[in-house]
Amino acid sequence: MASTIPDPLPGAQDARVTPPAADRPGRIEAHGIDHIPDGERHGHPRELFSVWAAANVNYLSLVIGGALVLMGLTLVQAVAVIVVGNLFWLLTGLLATSGPAAGAPSEVITRAMYGVMGNRVNNAIGGWLVSVCYFALNLAAAATAAFALVEKTGITANTPVKVAVIVVIAALTLAISVYGHALIIKLYLPITLVLVGVFTVVAFAVLRHADFSYAPAAKLSGVELWGLLLAGTTLIASGPLSYTTSADFSRYLPRTSSKTAIIGWTALGAFLPSVIVCSLGAFAATAVDMTDPQTALQTILPGWFTPVFLLALVLGTISINALTAYSAGLALQAVGLRIRRTVSVLFDGAVAVALTLYGLLVSNFLDTVSNALQVIVVLIGPLMAVYATDIALRRGRYDGIALSDETPGSPFWYTAGVNRAGALAVALGVTAASLCVNTLYTGPVAGALDGVDLSLPVGMVVAALVYALLMRNDRTALAARAQA
């Protein structure tokens, strides 16, 4: 029987019930992209805190924080950029509210924005391809730490050993993803606590050696400074903006769950660890060479703690990659392949492992993928903006049953299966962002502004305005607002 208890966030309601057999930690999750009936909804928004915290207490955050100082920012400027960039987690939290409203994952909800057929393209590129590339990059980072850990045991990390290490890490990651939602909810609180404990020790070591009076050799000002501040903010914001899939992890919550609580616990769970760990990276850059963070940090950590630190880097990456693989599996189903979620997750993992092995052992492929992902910010910004705007237009109301209908009779079929408003909004947003980008290439607008990269705000604003204008009289949006 459901019980009601006070919630730490105002307006939240508790719906603590025994999870149905379809969603229990010891069983493989039965649902994929299909609708979750109200009778199978359970849990509380506060569970989302540890899901997002475990995925954001990680090595990558340390690296990014250190990179801001290496780019030439002062400590104060770097911390300010870290805080502002991580505020974008509020959008991730907003998108998570659509999960309980529809009882469906983000990969299905976006049919409201792009149409049944148009959404398949969205999931193929903005969902599956991006997720698999991130999986490969994160797996490579975890493998590097694991190689160092293996070497400390006296085993030479030759090619067969490296292959075995990568496969083992991927297998642990995919096991979590295959068992799915309930296991993620169950595991991520203890994982969060373990990672917080490890990074607390790292924090003591870093703060003891940090140079709080640090100043870059060349003081930046004017356009050059603003360009660097915007570039740093975009770098930090690319993390939360890449999670247009946050409804995947909230869709089992009861329909009556507080939207404020969902936004708050999701955003807070990601914001706090991201800000703290990124800031530690910035402080560390004043004491050690953060161009090689893994090696540099070991020089200021206690000798006995180094293996624990390396193991934590692997655990943190497994946490973030399990979420990525889970969503990639749903995206592959939403593309139109009639396969079980477990099969799609394993397929995605196999592709990511192959890319990682090729990138680490054969060529610089992962560098190529990394460079491509730097440009993808011109895509993920507009995608996030359209999704958030759609939630605002519909006042957070979605018909999960109707969204599951893929026939031409579906209200979300639009024209030939494509919602032209969503497609045009993303196309114009990406075009505008491309003109302003200054990463692997310099767009004409960035060139005219002496290299200042405005791709993130411009792409998001253009996409949001175009979508809001074209969808203001859409019948499905009007119907949703009428029910609010």
Side-chain angles (χ1 to χ4, degrees):
M1 179 179 295
S3 62
T4 304
I5 60 175
D7 192 282
L9 290 181
Q13 297 178 15
D14 188 42
R16 183 174 296 174
V17 297
T18 301
D23 189 44
R24 289 183 179 174
R27 300 187 61 172
I28 293 176
E29 183 182 352
H31 289 291
I33 61 172
D34 52 308
H35 178 256
I36 310 296
D38 286 340
E40 295 187 29
R41 307 289 193 88
H42 61 93
H44 190 281
R46 70 170 68 92
E47 297 170 344
L48 297 172
F49 179 88
S50 58
V51 170
W52 294 99
N56 284 282
V57 182
N58 57 49
Y59 178 56
L60 184 59
S61 295
L62 275 173
V63 173
I64 293 175
L68 295 176
V69 171
L70 293 175
M71 289 162 62
L73 295 178
T74 66
L75 273 178
V76 172
Q77 291 166 345
V79 172
V81 162
I82 289 168
V83 171
V84 172
N86 277 301
L87 287 175
F88 281 86
W89 285 111
L90 287 168
L91 286 178
T92 309
L94 175 63
L95 267 56
T97 63
S98 63
S106 294
E107 291 79 5
V108 170
I109 295 169
T110 45
R111 288 172 183 166
M113 290 140 245
Y114 306 110
V116 172
M117 303 304 293
N119 194 49
R120 293 185 178 183
V121 177
N122 167 56
N123 278 307
I125 300 174
W128 184 81
L129 180 61
V130 173
S131 293
V132 169
C133 288
Y134 270 118
F135 189 117
L137 289 173
N138 287 327
L139 181 55
T144 302
F147 296 159
L149 191 60
V150 167
E151 292 278 1
K152 287 188 175 296
T153 67
I155 300 174
T156 301
N158 53 30
T159 298
V161 170
K162 288 182 176 180
V163 171
V165 166
I166 291 171
V167 170
V168 168
I169 294 173
L172 292 172
T173 302
L174 294 174
I176 297 173
S177 302
V178 165
Y179 273 86
H181 175 266
L183 185 60
I184 289 172
I185 296 297
K186 182 78 172 180
L187 283 182
Y188 277 42
L189 178 56
I191 289 177
T192 298
L193 295 176
V194 169
L195 292 176
V196 167
V198 171
F199 274 84
T200 297
V201 177
V202 175
F204 276 115
V206 168
L207 296 177
R208 188 161 57 89
H209 290 85
D211 178 7
F212 294 98
S213 61
Y214 169 84
K219 187 176 181 180
L220 302 177
S221 61
V223 174
E224 187 177 13
L225 174 59
W226 279 106
L228 192 54
L229 291 172
L230 284 169
T233 302
T234 299
L235 181 64
I236 298 292
S238 63
L241 290 177
S242 67
Y243 283 106
T244 55
T245 56
S246 55
D248 296 0
F249 310 102
S250 63
R251 73 189 194 278
Y252 278 92
L253 292 174
R255 190 186 304 272
T256 55
S257 297
S258 165
K259 290 183 174 63
T260 301
I262 293 170
I263 295 171
W265 287 119
T266 298
L268 193 63
F271 178 85
L272 283 181
S274 293
V275 168
I276 292 171
V277 179
C278 281
S279 297
L280 284 177
F283 289 129
T286 68
V288 296
D289 182 9
M290 287 294 281
T291 56
D292 183 9
Q294 182 180 302
T295 302
L297 287 171
Q298 292 181 44
T299 64
I300 62 175
L301 293 172
W304 63 268
F305 183 72
T306 298
V308 178
F309 173 62
L310 293 173
L311 197 57
L313 297 184
V314 176
L315 179 61
T317 306
I318 287 175
S319 300
I320 193 171
N321 258 358
L323 300 188
T324 303
Y326 182 82
S327 291
L330 295 174
L332 198 58
Q333 284 187 311
V335 166
L337 297 182
R338 302 302 178 186
I339 57 177
R340 293 176 63 87
R341 185 191 61 81
T342 51
V343 175
S344 63
V345 166
L346 292 173
F347 174 78
D348 297 336
V351 173
V353 167
L355 294 180
T356 304
L357 289 172
Y358 185 78
L360 287 180
L361 306 178
V362 180
S363 74
N364 63 347
F365 177 77
L366 288 178
D367 289 338
T368 303
V369 173
S370 180
N371 290 335
L373 288 175
Q374 291 180 42
V375 178
I376 272 180
V377 73
V378 306
L379 171 63
I380 60 178
L383 288 177
M384 176 69 82
V386 167
Y387 199 155
T389 304
D390 191 75
I391 290 174
L393 288 174
R394 298 176 193 277
R395 297 178 185 172
R397 298 187 67 87
Y398 291 92
D399 185 339
I401 300 297
L403 284 166
S404 298
D405 183 359
E406 298 183 67
T407 68
S410 166
F412 300 104
W413 186 260
Y414 296 106
T415 303
V418 178
N419 182 1
R420 295 176 181 174
L424 186 59
V426 170
L428 292 179
V430 168
T431 299
S434 299
L435 297 175
C436 301
V437 77
N438 186 22
T439 51
L440 296 182
Y441 72 94
T442 301
V445 175
L449 296 175
D450 294 327
V452 175
D453 187 334
L454 294 173
S455 59
L456 179 61
V458 169
M460 293 186 72
V461 169
V462 168
L465 289 178
V466 170
Y467 188 75
L469 179 65
L470 296 179
M471 287 290 288
R472 68 189 188 282
N473 293 321
D474 175 76
R475 60 184 178 83
T476 65
L478 290 174
R481 288 203 295 272
Q483 297 174 21

